Amino acid sequence: MTDYKTLIDAETWAFIERTNSYYPPDTIDYTIAQQREIYDRMCREFFAGHPDGVAVETSAISTLRHDIPIRIYRSAPQAAVTVLYAHGGGFILGGLDSHDDVCAELCARTGYEVVSVDYRLAPEHLHPAAFDDATSAFEWAAANRHHPIVLCGDSAGGNLCAAVSHATRGHSKRPIGQVLIYPGLGGDRSQGSYITHAEAPMLTTRDLEFYKNIRTGGQDGTGDITQSPLADADFAYLPPTVLITAQCDPLSSDGEAYRDRIVAAGGRAYWFEEPGLVHGYLRARHTVGRARASFTRIVDAVAALGQGAWHW
């Protein structure tokens, strides 16, 4: 058994307990509508506001079949880089409001334009709907922005960013970098953190199985790169990648595996596992020292990749 009492510090435990105070123990057995209500309320309770000087505009990208809502954050008249942000939430939760303050802070601290993408959610829209929307958002940004694009996302959003990077390698304006925050990339569930941290606070392997089945409608997606980027046989020509994972999270090994695959293919990738942190710690960035330091690491990675200046 993993001893979380020693791995996780008091500040992080306080964050876990505060998060759990909004979540009944059996939330995973609630209806999707109820789960969204609980998640949205929790996000509102953790909302940290916007830094001064960030202008926000909510808009939409028109596609042939539907509109994709987006929220654009700017803190400078002329941004040098656009960050396309995909939020977490297990492909069934979240939206423009759930990560609103994270995107505003990312904008303020990098000076880059941040575009948050409100991709379609399961179970109403099964895979590959979210991937299709993330790809459409990238195509829109590539067509409408003259400057470079960096992809950034947490959890489910990290999965979407990686999948878009794999799908756009032949694009004339492919992303110049990606920052993946505790992403699920379809790693081997029989080893590593999937075993060591199967019952981690905030995210368990049972949760992962639930989200995977909801996203796919129970269909077997083995080998589908758009669902599990680690299933790709070719890791060449991917953008410079920074992976930041939480130690106490079944998904952490995905970051290590993805880094190793890119490096083996001659690419540039860096993986950092945050000691003693748990899945979802972005919401703890103002109350937990370790999470605050990690968010600074994330901001610095986005800034450096945007400048093509990451030191490996």
Side-chain angles (χ1 to χ4, degrees), residues 15-55:
F15 163 70
I16 293 167
E17 285 160 12
R18 184 181 169 198
T19 302
N20 287 342
S21 72
Y22 304 110
Y23 269 83
D26 55 348
T27 299
I28 200 169
D29 299 317
Y30 283 38
T31 66
I32 300 300
Q34 289 170 324
Q35 290 190 43
R36 287 175 181 160
E37 196 176 312
I38 291 166
Y39 182 80
D40 291 346
R41 176 174 170 245
M42 180 196 66
C43 291
R44 285 194 299 272
E45 294 292 335
F46 276 100
F47 181 71
H50 288 183
D52 291 340
V54 176

Side-chain angles (χ1 to χ4, degrees), residues 17-140:
E17 285 160 12
R18 184 181 169 198
T19 302
N20 287 342
S21 72
Y22 304 110
Y23 269 83
D26 55 348
T27 299
I28 200 169
D29 299 317
Y30 283 38
T31 66
I32 300 300
Q34 289 170 324
Q35 290 190 43
R36 287 175 181 160
E37 196 176 312
I38 291 166
Y39 182 80
D40 291 346
R41 176 174 170 245
M42 180 196 66
C43 291
R44 285 194 299 272
E45 294 292 335
F46 276 100
F47 181 71
H50 288 183
D52 291 340
V54 176
V56 183
E57 173 195 351
T58 302
S59 181
I61 297 167
S62 293
T63 73
L64 289 174
R65 293 193 183 88
H66 65 282
D67 288 350
I68 304 167
I70 57 173
R71 189 165 289 165
I72 303 170
Y73 304 79
R74 297 188 184 97
S75 60
Q78 296 293 323
V81 174
T82 290
V83 180
L84 210 56
Y85 194 92
H87 67 81
F91 302 100
I92 65 169
L93 309 168
L96 297 181
D97 292 337
S98 63
H99 290 61
D100 183 48
D101 49 354
V102 170
C103 290
E105 289 172 35
L106 194 56
C107 168
R109 292 178 61 172
T110 60
Y112 298 163
E113 175 187 61
V114 175
V115 178
S116 178
V117 183
D118 192 10
Y119 55 85
R120 287 170 295 169
L121 299 175
E124 297 91 340
H125 305 283
L126 298 178
H127 178 75
F131 166 75
D132 289 344
D133 286 356
T135 305
S136 295
F138 171 78
E139 296 283 358
W140 168 85

Side-chain angles (χ1 to χ4, degrees), residues 1 9 11 24 37 47 74 83 88 104 113 121 138 162 190 209 221 229 242-243 247 251 254 260 265 269 310:
M1 288 288 290
D9 66 13
E11 284 184 330
E37 196 176 312
F47 181 71
R74 297 188 184 97
V83 180
E113 175 187 61
L121 299 175
F138 171 78
S190 68
E209 206 56 35
V242 177
L243 300 119
Q247 179 187 16
L251 292 174
D254 280 16
D260 290 349
W310 182 266

Side-chain angles (χ1 to χ4, degrees), residues 161-169 174-178 229 232 234-241 258 261-263 265-269:
C161 289
V164 169
S165 288
H166 285 248
T168 57
R169 278 179 285 193
R174 60 181 184 265
I176 64 161
Q178 58 176 345
D232 203 340
D234 180 10
F235 278 73
Y237 305 111
L238 287 168
T241 299
Y258 194 75
R261 298 289 294 278
I262 292 177
V263 171
R268 293 189 296 161

Side-chain angles (χ1 to χ4, degrees), residues 262-281:
I262 292 177
V263 171
R268 293 189 296 161
Y270 174 85
W271 169 60
F272 190 88
E273 183 181 66
E274 299 288 2
L277 283 179
V278 292
H279 196 85
Y281 69 76

